[in-house]
Coordinates of all heavy atoms in Angstrom, one line a residue:
A1473 N -8.5 -11.3 -9.9 CA -8.9 -10.1 -9.2 C -9.3 -10.3 -7.9 O -9.8 -11.4 -7.5 CB -10.2 -9.7 -10.1
N1474 N -9.0 -9.3 -7.1 CA -9.2 -9.2 -5.6 C -8.5 -10.3 -4.8 O -8.7 -10.6 -3.7 CB -10.8 -9.4 -5.4 CG -11.5 -8.2 -5.9 OD1 -11.0 -7.1 -5.8 ND2 -12.7 -8.4 -6.5
Q1475 N -7.4 -10.9 -5.5 CA -6.6 -12.0 -4.7 C -5.5 -11.1 -3.9 O -4.8 -10.3 -4.5 CB -6.0 -12.8 -5.6 CG -5.1 -14.0 -4.9 CD -4.7 -15.0 -6.0 OE1 -4.8 -14.8 -7.2 NE2 -3.9 -16.0 -5.5
S1476 N -5.3 -11.4 -2.7 CA -4.2 -10.8 -2.0 C -2.9 -11.6 -2.4 O -2.8 -12.7 -2.4 CB -4.3 -11.0 -0.4 OG -5.5 -10.3 -0.1
L1477 N -1.9 -10.6 -2.8 CA -0.5 -11.3 -3.0 C 0.4 -11.4 -1.8 O 1.2 -12.2 -1.7 CB 0.2 -10.3 -4.0 CG -0.5 -10.2 -5.4 CD1 0.3 -9.2 -6.2 CD2 -0.6 -11.6 -6.0
F1478 N 0.1 -10.4 -0.7 CA 0.8 -10.5 0.5 C 0.1 -9.7 1.4 O -0.9 -8.9 1.1 CB 2.2 -10.0 0.3 CG 2.3 -8.5 -0.1 CD1 2.4 -7.5 0.8 CD2 2.3 -8.3 -1.5 CE1 2.4 -6.2 0.4 CE2 2.4 -6.9 -1.8 CZ 2.5 -5.8 -0.9
S1479 N 0.4 -9.8 2.8 CA -0.3 -9.0 3.8 C 0.9 -8.5 4.7 O 2.0 -9.2 4.8 CB -1.2 -9.8 4.6 OG -0.6 -11.0 5.2
L1480 N 0.7 -7.5 5.4 CA 1.7 -6.9 6.3 C 1.0 -6.8 7.7 O -0.3 -6.6 7.8 CB 2.0 -5.5 5.9 CG 2.7 -5.3 4.5 CD1 2.8 -3.9 4.2 CD2 3.9 -6.0 4.5
T1481 N 1.8 -7.1 8.8 CA 1.3 -7.0 10.0 C 2.1 -5.9 10.9 O 3.4 -5.9 10.7 CB 1.5 -8.3 10.8 OG1 0.7 -9.3 10.2 CG2 1.0 -8.2 12.3
F1482 N 1.5 -5.1 11.4 CA 2.2 -3.9 12.2 C 1.8 -4.0 13.6 O 0.8 -4.4 14.0 CB 1.7 -2.5 11.6 CG 2.0 -2.4 10.3 CD1 1.1 -2.6 9.2 CD2 3.2 -1.8 9.9 CE1 1.4 -2.4 7.9 CE2 3.5 -1.6 8.6 CZ 2.6 -1.9 7.6
N1483 N 2.7 -3.7 14.5 CA 2.5 -3.5 16.0 C 2.6 -2.0 16.3 O 3.5 -1.3 15.9 CB 3.5 -4.2 16.8 CG 3.5 -5.7 16.6 OD1 2.3 -6.1 16.6 ND2 4.7 -6.5 16.6
A1484 N 1.5 -1.5 17.0 CA 1.4 -0.1 17.3 C 2.3 0.2 18.4 O 2.5 -0.5 19.3 CB -0.1 0.1 17.8
T1485 N 3.0 1.4 18.3 CA 3.8 1.8 19.3 C 3.4 3.1 20.0 O 4.0 3.7 20.8 CB 5.2 2.3 18.6 OG1 5.1 3.2 17.6 CG2 5.9 0.9 18.2
A1486 N 2.2 3.6 19.5 CA 1.5 4.7 20.1 C 0.0 4.6 19.8 O -0.5 3.9 18.8 CB 2.0 6.0 19.4
N1487 N -0.8 5.4 20.5 CA -2.2 5.3 20.3 C -2.5 6.3 19.3 O -1.9 7.4 19.1 CB -2.9 5.8 21.6 CG -2.8 4.7 22.7 OD1 -2.8 3.5 22.4 ND2 -2.9 5.1 24.0
G1488 N -3.7 6.1 18.5 CA -4.1 7.0 17.4 C -4.9 6.3 16.4 O -5.0 4.9 16.4
L1489 N -5.5 6.9 15.3 CA -6.0 6.4 14.4 C -5.1 6.0 13.2 O -4.3 6.9 12.8 CB -7.2 7.4 13.8 CG -8.3 7.7 14.8 CD1 -9.2 8.9 14.1 CD2 -9.1 6.6 15.0
L1490 N -5.3 4.8 12.7 CA -4.3 4.3 11.7 C -4.4 5.2 10.5 O -3.5 5.5 9.7 CB -4.6 2.9 11.3 CG -4.2 1.8 12.3 CD1 -4.5 0.4 11.8 CD2 -2.7 1.9 12.5
S1491 N -5.6 5.7 10.1 CA -5.8 6.5 9.0 C -5.1 7.9 9.1 O -4.8 8.4 8.1 CB -7.3 6.8 8.7 OG -7.9 7.4 9.9
E1492 N -4.7 8.2 10.4 CA -4.0 9.4 10.5 C -2.4 9.2 10.8 O -1.7 10.1 10.6 CB -4.5 10.2 11.8 CG -5.9 10.7 11.6 CD -6.5 11.4 13.0 OE1 -5.7 11.4 14.0 OE2 -7.6 11.7 12.9
L1493 N -2.2 7.9 11.0 CA -0.7 7.6 11.3 C 0.0 7.0 10.1 O 1.3 6.9 10.1 CB -0.6 6.6 12.6 CG -1.3 7.2 13.8 CD1 -1.2 6.2 15.0 CD2 -0.3 8.4 14.3
M1494 N -0.7 6.3 9.1 CA -0.1 5.7 8.1 C -0.5 6.2 6.8 O -1.7 6.7 6.6 CB -0.6 4.1 8.1 CG -0.1 3.4 9.1 SD -0.6 1.7 9.3 CE 0.2 1.1 7.8
N1495 N 0.4 6.3 5.8 CA 0.0 6.6 4.4 C 1.0 6.0 3.4 O 2.0 5.4 3.9 CB 0.1 8.2 4.3 CG 1.5 8.7 4.3 OD1 2.5 8.2 3.8 ND2 1.6 9.8 5.2
L1496 N 0.7 6.0 2.2 CA 1.5 5.4 1.1 C 2.1 6.7 0.3 O 1.4 7.6 0.1 CB 0.7 4.6 0.1 CG 0.3 3.2 0.6 CD1 -0.6 2.5 -0.5 CD2 1.4 2.4 1.0
N1497 N 3.4 6.6 0.0 CA 3.9 7.6 -0.8 C 5.1 7.1 -1.6 O 5.4 5.9 -1.4 CB 4.4 8.8 0.1 CG 5.5 8.4 1.0 OD1 6.6 7.9 0.7 ND2 5.2 8.7 2.5
S1498 N 5.6 7.9 -2.4 CA 6.8 7.5 -3.2 C 8.2 8.0 -2.8 O 9.0 8.2 -3.8 CB 6.4 7.9 -4.7 OG 5.3 7.3 -5.1
T1499 N 8.2 8.3 -1.6 CA 9.5 8.9 -1.1 C 10.7 7.9 -1.4 O 11.8 8.4 -1.8 CB 9.4 9.2 0.4 OG1 8.3 10.1 0.7 CG2 10.6 9.8 0.9
I1500 N 10.6 6.7 -1.1 CA 11.7 5.8 -1.4 C 11.5 5.0 -2.6 O 12.5 4.9 -3.4 CB 11.8 4.9 0.0 CG1 12.2 5.7 1.1 CG2 13.0 3.7 -0.3 CD1 12.3 5.0 2.5
T1501 N 10.4 4.4 -2.9 CA 10.1 3.7 -4.0 C 8.8 4.1 -4.6 O 8.0 4.5 -3.7 CB 10.2 2.1 -3.7 OG1 9.1 1.8 -2.9 CG2 11.5 1.6 -3.3
P1502 N 8.6 4.0 -5.9 CA 7.3 4.4 -6.4 C 6.2 3.5 -5.8 O 6.2 2.3 -5.8 CB 7.5 4.2 -7.9 CG 8.9 4.2 -8.2 CD 9.6 3.6 -6.9
A1503 N 5.1 4.3 -5.4 CA 3.8 3.6 -5.0 C 3.0 3.3 -6.2 O 2.2 4.1 -6.6 CB 3.1 4.5 -4.0
E1504 N 3.3 2.2 -7.0 CA 2.8 1.8 -8.1 C 2.4 0.3 -8.1 O 3.1 -0.5 -7.5 CB 3.8 2.1 -9.4 CG 4.1 3.6 -9.5 CD 5.1 3.8 -10.6 OE1 5.6 2.8 -11.1 OE2 5.4 4.9 -11.0
A1505 N 1.4 0.0 -8.9 CA 1.0 -1.5 -9.2 C 0.9 -1.5 -10.8 O 0.3 -0.5 -11.3 CB -0.1 -1.8 -8.4
Y1506 N 0.9 -2.6 -11.3 CA 0.8 -2.9 -12.7 C -0.1 -4.1 -13.0 O 0.1 -5.1 -12.1 CB 2.1 -3.0 -13.5 CG 2.9 -1.8 -13.3 CD1 3.8 -1.5 -12.4 CD2 2.8 -0.7 -14.3 CE1 4.4 -0.4 -12.2 CE2 3.5 0.5 -14.2 CZ 4.4 0.7 -13.2 OH 5.1 1.7 -13.1
N1507 N -1.0 -4.1 -13.9 CA -1.7 -5.4 -14.3 C -0.9 -6.1 -15.4 O 0.2 -5.7 -15.7 CB -3.0 -5.1 -14.7 CG -3.1 -4.2 -16.1 OD1 -2.2 -4.2 -16.8 ND2 -4.3 -3.7 -16.3
Q1508 N -1.4 -7.3 -15.9 CA -0.6 -8.0 -16.8 C -0.4 -7.4 -18.1 O 0.6 -7.7 -18.8 CB -1.4 -9.4 -17.0 CG -1.3 -10.4 -15.8 CD -2.0 -11.7 -16.1 OE1 -3.1 -11.6 -16.7 NE2 -1.5 -12.7 -15.6
A1509 N -1.2 -6.5 -18.4 CA -1.0 -5.6 -19.6 C 0.1 -4.6 -19.5 O 0.3 -3.8 -20.5 CB -2.3 -5.1 -20.2
G1510 N 0.5 -4.4 -18.3 CA 1.7 -3.4 -18.0 C 1.0 -2.0 -17.7 O 1.7 -1.1 -17.6
E1511 N -0.3 -2.0 -17.5 CA -1.0 -0.7 -17.2 C -0.9 -0.3 -15.8 O -1.0 -1.1 -14.9 CB -2.5 -0.9 -17.6 CG -2.7 -1.1 -19.1 CD -4.2 -1.5 -19.2 OE1 -4.8 -2.3 -18.4 OE2 -4.6 -1.3 -20.4
L1512 N -0.6 0.9 -15.6 CA -0.4 1.6 -14.2 C -1.7 1.5 -13.5 O -2.7 1.9 -13.9 CB 0.1 3.0 -14.3 CG 0.3 3.6 -12.9 CD1 1.5 2.8 -12.2 CD2 0.8 5.1 -13.2
L1513 N -1.7 0.9 -12.3 CA -2.9 0.8 -11.4 C -2.8 1.7 -10.2 O -1.7 2.0 -9.7 CB -3.2 -0.7 -11.0 CG -3.4 -1.7 -12.0 CD1 -3.4 -3.1 -11.3 CD2 -4.5 -1.3 -12.9
K1514 N -3.8 2.1 -9.6 CA -3.9 3.1 -8.4 C -3.5 2.1 -7.2 O -4.1 1.0 -7.0 CB -5.3 3.7 -8.3 CG -5.4 4.6 -7.1 CD -6.7 5.2 -7.0 CE -6.9 6.2 -5.9 NZ -8.2 6.7 -5.8
V1515 N -2.8 2.6 -6.2 CA -2.4 2.0 -5.0 C -2.9 2.8 -3.9 O -2.5 3.9 -3.9 CB -0.9 1.6 -5.0 CG1 -0.5 1.0 -3.6 CG2 -0.3 0.9 -6.0
E1516 N -3.6 2.2 -3.0 CA -4.1 2.9 -1.9 C -4.3 2.1 -0.6 O -4.4 0.9 -0.7 CB -5.5 3.6 -2.3 CG -6.6 2.6 -2.5 CD -7.9 3.4 -3.0 OE1 -7.8 4.3 -3.6 OE2 -8.9 2.6 -2.8

């Protein structure tokens, strides 16, 4: 629990609040995570 599996690094190309410039969605791939029991978890 609470172990990071990976991290991402981004370089800003414009000024602004990240909370207004970034989001997760399922446009290309489903924004989903699963536990060992195969239960769907919330990704945010």
Side-chain angles (χ1 to χ4, degrees):
N1474 297 321
Q1475 180 181 2
S1476 295
L1477 297 178
F1478 62 91
S1479 64
L1480 301 173
T1481 302
F1482 298 92
N1483 289 323
T1485 59
N1487 291 333
L1489 295 173
L1490 286 179
S1491 59
E1492 295 174 2
L1493 298 172
M1494 295 180 65
N1495 67 44
L1496 289 177
N1497 62 56
S1498 296
T1499 302
I1500 296 174
T1501 59
E1504 299 176 349
Y1506 298 89
N1507 63 16
Q1508 288 181 320
E1511 299 167 323
L1512 181 63
L1513 304 173
K1514 183 178 178 182
V1515 178
E1516 63 183 26

